[in-house]
Amino acid sequence: MLPALYLLLTLAFAGVLLLLLWRPGEARGMVVWGLAALLPLLAAVAGALAGQARAARVLAGYDAQPGVVTIMNGGASRTLILDPRDAACVERAVRLHTRSELIAGGERVPLVGDTRVTGDLPPQAVVEALGIRGALNCPNLRALKAEGS
């Protein structure tokens, strides 16, 4: 509802600006400048609110539960039970090929280029929605230095 309201407001301001530009001399320069400066801000707010609403819809149907995952690095594999937050962090790190390590149960499990993860990871849409909502923090995931550093 709110994103649609901001979109309508943006379109109304654009219409007023076009009307003023159609008939030069009807408005002062500062009014035209102010309307032109306000349009990108209103469009950005409308887009952000739409993204928040879409993320809320995705998360409404998601039931966060701990999951069992198997992390395979080369020939070594580890089976871990991850809480939903750590599972989301692992999904994002593996999908984005981020060199990192997971600290789980006192173990340090590397997540590098050849890492394969199988098991109960949340869907990509859920992880992205958590990031949009600001609910995806990863205290058990540490970034590793790039190779050759």
Side-chain angles (χ1 to χ4, degrees):
M1 168 80 178
L2 201 54
L5 176 68
Y6 270 92
L7 182 60
L8 287 174
L9 189 62
T10 303
L11 293 174
F13 273 92
V16 170
L17 180 62
L18 285 174
L19 182 66
L20 291 175
L21 290 175
W22 181 264
R23 306 188 87 188
E26 295 288 325
R28 295 179 182 255
M30 288 302 290
V31 172
V32 172
W33 182 88
L35 286 172
L38 190 60
L39 282 176
L41 178 65
L42 287 172
V45 169
L49 289 173
Q52 288 285 332
R54 188 171 37 251
R57 281 192 305 273
V58 168
L59 292 175
Y62 175 63
D63 183 28
Q65 294 187 6
V68 178
V69 298
T70 301
I71 301 175
M72 294 166 276
N73 285 311
S77 69
R78 292 189 178 109
T79 300
L80 303 168
I81 298 174
L82 298 179
D83 69 353
R85 180 184 56 194
D86 286 339
C89 293
V90 167
E91 190 280 333
R92 182 179 66 179
V94 171
R95 177 174 37 88
L96 298 177
H97 304 290
T98 305
R99 290 180 45 81
S100 52
E101 69 180 0
L102 174 67
I103 301 170
E107 292 184 70
R108 294 179 180 267
V109 181
L111 301 172
V112 292
D114 64 343
T115 300
R116 289 187 306 141
V117 179
T118 59
D120 301 327
L121 291 176
Q124 178 181 346
V126 168
V127 176
E128 290 172 350
L130 287 170
I132 289 171
R133 300 286 293 185
L136 184 62
N137 58 353
C138 303
N140 296 326
L141 199 68
R142 305 270 191 256
L144 294 175
K145 291 182 180 179
E147 291 180 31
S149 305

